[in-house]
Amino acid sequence: MKKSLIVIGVIVILAIVIYSSVKGSYNGMVEKDEAVSAAWSQVENVYQRRADLIPNLVNTVKGYAAHENETLESVIAARAKATSVTIDPSKMDVADITKFQQAQDGLSSALGRLIAVAESYPDLKANQNFLDLQAQLEGTENRITVERQKFNDTARDYNTYIRSFPRNIFAGMFNFDKRAYFEASAGAEKAPEVKF
């Protein structure tokens, strides 16, 4: 009788330990998963801020450079494409981030062409509204860099957490998958060539 009580006690203690371990790991994975989703939301927020600035910038340039319609239309089209790409953060993978990044890179390229066009118009470069919008856009680009870095840090923390033993077992059981990172665009490793 005494032996059976000891065995039952050991089984109960083991069950409590296993339950606590699974519960703690699962809740930790949920918390870190939510942190990745929140970081992704911040990335989308700063990209949306940039997209919201673009119509004002285009309209300001349009007033000075009306015959630059092709450039203006390419910016508008790139903005539409960039804002149409949405990602469900709970199902995000490398292909989703690549697609999102390509759309945003297209918008960045179109904005670069728009700013280059503005250089040809001294009156536009002196326009306070244009200067303010350009400064806001530069600030937003800096925010994008910061939020992308925060997202990568949060995703790295989550990925490390779910891939560590024994949490990797629970992650597999509860379908917690590794999250993708933002990576540098193709060709970013080459320094731009400056010619005078």
Side-chain angles (χ1 to χ4, degrees):
M1 179 80 170
K2 198 172 185 182
K3 271 186 168 182
S4 61
L5 285 177
I6 291 173
V7 170
I8 291 172
V10 168
I11 291 172
V12 168
I13 290 171
L14 281 175
I16 291 171
V17 168
I18 291 171
Y19 171 78
S20 296
S21 177
V22 171
K23 179 184 170 197
S25 293
Y26 180 83
N27 289 341
M29 286 184 273
V30 168
E31 182 180 318
K32 291 184 182 295
D33 183 57
E34 286 300 315
V36 173
S37 295
W40 177 252
S41 293
Q42 280 304 108
V43 168
E44 288 182 321
N45 284 341
V46 291
Y47 275 115
Q48 185 60 50
R49 175 176 162 66
R50 179 175 74 164
D52 292 345
L53 289 171
I54 291 170
N56 293 332
L57 188 64
V58 167
N59 288 335
T60 302
V61 173
K62 194 183 290 185
Y64 287 87
H67 64 281
E68 300 285 353
N69 280 340
E70 184 178 324
T71 302
L72 297 172
E73 288 172 6
S74 72
V75 171
I76 293 167
R79 178 189 181 273
K81 182 177 180 184
T83 56
S84 70
V85 177
T86 57
I87 297 175
D88 177 359
S90 66
K91 296 178 177 76
M92 180 183 336
D93 62 8
V94 174
D96 289 336
I97 287 185
T98 301
K99 183 179 173 184
F100 183 83
Q101 189 169 351
Q102 286 173 342
Q104 296 301 331
D105 288 348
L107 180 54
S108 294
S109 176
L111 280 172
R113 289 191 302 276
L114 181 65
I115 299 300
V117 163
E119 294 294 318
S120 304
Y121 298 91
D123 291 342
L124 176 59
K125 288 189 334 186
N127 178 292
Q128 190 59 46
N129 190 28
F130 177 76
L131 294 174
D132 290 345
L133 288 167
Q134 193 172 11
Q136 287 183 40
L137 197 56
E138 288 170 7
T140 300
E141 293 296 333
N142 291 334
R143 288 178 185 163
I144 287 170
T145 301
V146 168
E147 294 302 332
R148 283 174 52 154
Q149 181 60 46
K150 285 181 185 176
F151 172 80
N152 280 347
D153 290 345
T154 306
R156 180 189 45 77
D157 182 49
Y158 167 80
N159 289 340
T160 302
Y161 189 81
I162 68 165
R163 294 177 67 207
S164 300
F165 183 80
R167 289 183 294 265
N168 61 340
I169 296 168
F170 304 133
M173 287 173 38
F174 297 116
N175 295 321
F176 284 94
D177 296 321
K178 185 178 173 187
R179 295 295 186 95
Y181 299 104
F182 269 105
E183 296 178 7
S185 301
E189 70 280 356
K190 297 176 190 168
E193 185 177 329
V194 179
K195 293 182 182 179
F196 294 103

